[in-house]
Amino acid sequence: MTEKQATPRIVAAASALEDRLPLADTGDMEDAERGFVGALRPGQVRAADGRVVWDADAWATVLQAERPDTVNPSLWRQARLVALHGLYEVTDGIYQVRGMDLSNMTLVEGDKGVIVIDPLISTETAAAALGLYRGHRGDRPVTAVIYTHSHVDHFGGVRGVVTGDDVASGRVPVLAPEGFVEHAVAENVYAGAAMARRSAYMYGAALPVGPAGQLGAGLGMSVSTGTITLIPPTLEVTRTGQEEVLDGVRILFQVTPGTEAPSEMNFLFPDHGALCMAENATHTLHNLLTLRGALVRDPHAWARYLTEAIDLFADATSVEFASHHWPTWGRERVVALLSEQRDLYAYLHDQTLRLLNKGYVGVEIAELLELPPGLENAWHTRGYYGSVSHNVKAVYQRYLGWFDGNPARLWAYPPEQAGRRYVEAIGGPEAVLDVARRAFDDGDYRWVGELAGHLVYADPGNTAARELQAAAFEQLGFGAENGTWRNFYLVGAAELRGATVGTPTVTASPDILAQLTLSQLFDSVAIRVDGPRASDLRVGIDWSVTGPDGEEHRYWSRMSNGVLTHGDGVLREKPDAVVRTSRGALLALVTGQTRPDELQESGSLSIEGATDVLARILEVLDTLDPGFAIVTPRPPHPS
């Protein structure tokens, strides 16, 4: 069966939720529409090859209709808010382009031009956003760029608003919080393939837009799929209280490491009464552990920095804006927003710790913990992007790790082995399907997803099991208030039905790879070493690497016991070879763009000693899979 309509159980749940929610409250819509200047018409942004990388009109068309039964009423409301796109005036001299990527671009007018804050994900959407601003406010040059934090939706489009020469010449400074490059690069390279693949599920960028498809991600509608770039900052913000003047505009900074990103900052424009809260206070409960995967965030520090922001900035603030969603006007409303956001993260942190210290494990706490009425009834604390359920598990993981203390789960079977055992214990495939079908008819879609999943892993070719699990995922998606949960369920259903959704946004772009330090570059090689194949390989190399500045860097690497170790200087023992090359040639080599012999023929690389050392190392490097399966078994690992 193929379910494209919501079942009565999902329809009834939506109706009950509608009765509880103050859907007649239009305050957020009034704020979201306030200051509208103009929109991009048509709302499509294309790459140079004609490919559509963003289509704001697709959502607008769907959301003009009545809410369908296949969309949670609360998520429908949020989608209608974040799908609004165009140029908006925040306050005199400050504008935002919203709804033209997952994030917002903010533009602050200075003496000679305009400061760009967070130039979106893609160069194409960033250029279109800047063009929209200039179409209404004049052809002002970009005089500075600010990255609020180290996530790709806040820097990836930078070359759509400035050039490398603009920055290198000193004409356009680029500001970012301390540690920005390190974290931006590490997140998008070390686990970049897996994060990008899971992002395809989280944002649903390859799903068709529609009542039974992609209708937002809570934080924004989706991610653009254009060209990702990075220009390193030229000025770091290292301390709270640091003040800078850009193009005649005063800015007062607060550093907030370890909050929504490991490198992040809030800042006040004191002469405008405008406070930028980056992504630390938006109109949703955010993630403590994003579903795409990342380091677990610290809700205790997050709450503390929000308190500090109130103390530092509230008295001078008349409007607050962020890197997502719409602004909040009025000092009292701003303080209420920041205070409730602060209480939200503190409550999740403190109550999870209270319950884990009583012996409850993460999945139990996720079922037990409910927000108090003062938070539950605030629209901006609802779980459109993060959720109480997966955030509670993140807090548990942060303090106690993956193991819940029960030895029955200390050495659990992996999915395929467990699946075969469950199917056999229940009585075979048909018995499993009978139980799962009855559960589906009873509306227990969570149990259907788990039970049918065992059969899918035990027998991937069982089409009845795949379709039943897909149907359950579909209903769970239709009922989800959280945009990313909906997308995960619907993409999972598509995979089970044989669709290839691909990985629309790959963040490890050439610009990001170019910012790898030598240490990070060799780290990126080390995580690709196939340990079993490399276990007998022992090779030591001294490297002489010439950087873009012409300076020689001495570095060493050693392969032994399936591990690539490396560091500054030279090997203690005699190396097997000395390799001389440039930074660019080394990057091309380790990313597979060229071979050692090609570099040697071009004069870009020379080897003294064992001339086959690089070939021997390259032979034991694994190839990463950017399109691996998530809800179905992966091919057996060769080792």
Side-chain angles (χ1 to χ4, degrees):
M1 62 182 167
T2 300
E3 298 290 335
K4 291 298 180 184
Q5 299 297 320
T7 62
R9 180 65 60 91
I10 295 299
V11 173
S15 178
L17 183 60
E18 279 185 316
D19 291 341
R20 296 198 308 272
L21 294 176
L23 291 170
D25 176 8
T26 60
D28 280 340
M29 183 59 75
E30 291 167 5
D31 282 346
E33 293 178 332
R34 178 172 170 173
F36 177 72
V37 177
L40 185 70
R41 304 294 186 202
Q44 287 187 336
V45 179
R46 295 179 181 271
D49 61 4
R51 180 173 52 92
V52 175
V53 301
W54 185 259
D55 187 357
D57 293 340
W59 294 291
T61 300
V62 174
L63 292 165
Q64 287 171 358
E66 292 294 315
R67 179 187 70 83
D69 290 337
T70 50
V71 185
N72 179 286
S74 184
L75 180 60
W76 180 261
R77 174 189 180 276
Q78 184 77 351
R80 292 186 66 221
L81 289 163
V82 297
L84 294 173
H85 74 283
L87 178 68
Y88 295 82
E89 184 180 32
V90 176
T91 190
D92 186 33
I94 300 181
Y95 293 80
Q96 282 192 314
V97 177
R98 303 200 291 271
M100 286 183 60
D101 210 321
L102 181 71
S103 50
N104 299 335
M105 178 192 289
T106 304
L107 303 112
V108 181
E109 294 174 354
D111 292 342
K112 298 178 180 178
V114 64
I115 303 164
V116 172
I117 303 172
D118 287 352
L120 309 182
I121 293 176
S122 305
T123 58
E124 295 87 349
T125 53
L130 181 60
L132 176 62
Y133 165 82
R134 285 173 168 165
H136 290 276
R137 296 295 298 166
D139 193 15
R140 302 167 189 254
V142 174
T143 49
V145 175
I146 300 176
Y147 305 139
T148 60
H149 60 290
S150 52
H151 292 155
V152 71
D153 51 323
H154 304 274
F155 65 79
V158 64
R159 291 190 190 272
V161 299
V162 291
T163 68
D165 288 343
D166 290 333
V167 177
S169 68
R171 292 191 299 271
V172 179
V174 178
L175 274 69
E178 185 176 23
F180 169 87
V181 171
E182 174 191 353
H183 293 295
V185 169
E187 178 167 296
N188 291 297
V189 175
Y190 289 175
M195 285 187 184
R197 182 63 178 144
R198 286 168 57 146
S199 292
Y201 281 63
M202 180 172 174
Y203 296 108
L207 287 173
V209 172
Q214 206 276 358
L215 272 178
L219 198 65
M221 292 311 289
S222 187
V223 291
S224 64
T225 55
T227 306
I228 293 174
T229 57
L230 172 62
I231 296 176
T234 58
L235 176 61
E236 284 194 335
V237 177
T238 60
R239 60 181 177 83
T240 294
Q242 183 171 333
E243 184 172 342
E244 301 293 339
V245 178
L246 301 177
D247 193 15
V249 178
R250 290 197 302 137
I251 313 173
L252 186 62
F253 292 91
Q254 176 201 17
V255 294
T256 64
T259 51
E260 188 272 337
S263 172
E264 190 150 357
M265 62 186 182
N266 305 321
F267 41 94
L268 175 75
F269 294 91
D271 298 325
H272 297 74
L275 173 61
C276 175
M277 288 301 296
E279 206 163 321
N280 288 324
T282 55
H283 291 275
T284 181
L285 167 59
H286 213 294
N287 289 302
L288 298 180
L289 178 54
T290 175
L291 299 184
R292 65 176 167 81
L295 298 177
V296 180
R297 296 159 188 173
D298 185 351
H300 186 59
W302 197 332
R304 178 168 51 84
Y305 282 122
L306 286 170
T307 297
E308 184 180 67
I310 295 169
D311 292 340
L312 287 172
F313 302 133
D315 289 343
T317 298
S318 56
V319 61
E320 175 272 346
F321 64 91
S323 301
H324 297 270
H325 299 150
W326 52 94
T328 298
W329 285 269
R331 179 190 177 282
E332 290 186 5
R333 294 182 64 213
V334 171
V335 171
L337 173 78
L338 300 185
S339 298
E340 289 168 354
Q341 287 275 309
R342 182 264 322 279
D343 293 349
L344 177 63
Y345 299 113
Y347 190 88
L348 292 175
H349 174 268
D350 296 348
Q351 296 305 307
T352 301
L353 283 174
R354 179 178 67 85
L355 290 169
L356 73 80
N357 279 311
K358 293 170 71 71
Y360 294 101
V361 300
V363 292
E364 293 173 322
I365 301 171
E367 299 293 313
L368 289 170
L369 199 151
E370 295 181 356
L371 295 178
L375 296 177
E376 178 70 20
N377 296 330
W379 282 116
H380 67 87
T381 63
R382 297 195 70 86
Y384 301 115
Y385 192 56
S387 75
V388 170
S389 177
H390 71 258
N391 279 347
V392 160
K393 296 166 190 170
V395 177
Y396 187 94
Q397 178 179 323
R398 181 176 178 86
Y399 284 94
L400 294 182
W402 64 268
F403 178 44
D404 67 6
N406 187 328
R409 286 178 283 276
L410 181 60
W411 191 24
Y413 284 109
E416 289 172 78
Q417 295 183 43
R420 290 196 296 270
R421 287 166 170 81
Y422 272 101
V423 171
E424 182 181 356
I426 293 170
E430 286 307 314
V432 173
L433 286 170
D434 285 344
V435 175
R437 285 172 181 141
R438 289 198 300 272
F440 189 96
D441 291 340
D442 291 339
D444 193 354
Y445 307 120
R446 292 168 67 182
W447 178 231
V448 178
E450 183 174 343
L451 193 57
H454 285 308
L455 183 49
V456 169
Y457 270 85
D459 179 12
N462 191 312
T463 55
R466 293 171 73 110
E467 177 53 40
L468 186 56
Q469 189 182 35
F473 282 172
E474 204 161 51
Q475 294 303 316
L476 290 167
F478 292 165
E481 180 178 25
N482 184 288
T484 62
W485 283 38
R486 177 186 173 93
N487 292 334
F488 253 96
Y489 283 128
L490 296 185
V491 176
E495 182 186 319
L496 286 161
R497 289 172 173 149
T500 302
V501 298
T503 303
T505 302
V506 177
T507 55
S509 68
D511 257 8
I512 290 178
L513 293 172
Q515 301 310 315
L516 290 167
T517 64
L518 275 180
S519 176
Q520 289 174 322
L521 186 58
F522 277 89
D523 277 346
S524 73
V525 176
I527 61 179
R528 292 173 53 205
V529 172
D530 186 329
R533 288 171 55 204
S535 59
D536 294 329
L537 180 60
R538 283 169 171 73
V539 175
I541 301 175
D542 277 343
W543 297 82
S544 172
V545 181
T546 304
D549 55 3
E551 183 178 350
E552 180 190 25
H553 301 267
R554 302 300 300 274
Y555 209 76
W556 63 268
S557 66
R558 188 174 190 277
M559 178 80 79
S560 63
N561 297 312
V563 176
L564 181 70
T565 53
H566 52 90
D568 291 315
V570 297
L571 282 166
R572 293 178 180 273
E573 67 273 19
K574 182 179 179 181
D576 295 282
V578 176
V579 178
R580 291 183 171 83
T581 189
S582 67
R583 176 72 169 68
L586 178 60
L587 179 61
L589 179 66
V590 302
T591 55
Q593 300 173 53
T594 189
R595 301 192 309 269
D597 58 328
E598 293 174 330
L599 291 175
Q600 287 176 290
E601 289 175 7
S602 68
S604 301
L605 181 145
S606 66
I607 304 175
E608 297 175 9
T611 56
D612 65 341
V613 289
L614 296 182
R616 291 164 67 194
I617 292 173
L618 292 173
E619 285 176 357
V620 300
L621 298 186
D622 213 346
T623 301
L624 304 181
D625 180 4
F628 58 78
I630 290 182
V631 298
T632 54
R634 289 156 293 284
H637 194 278
S639 60

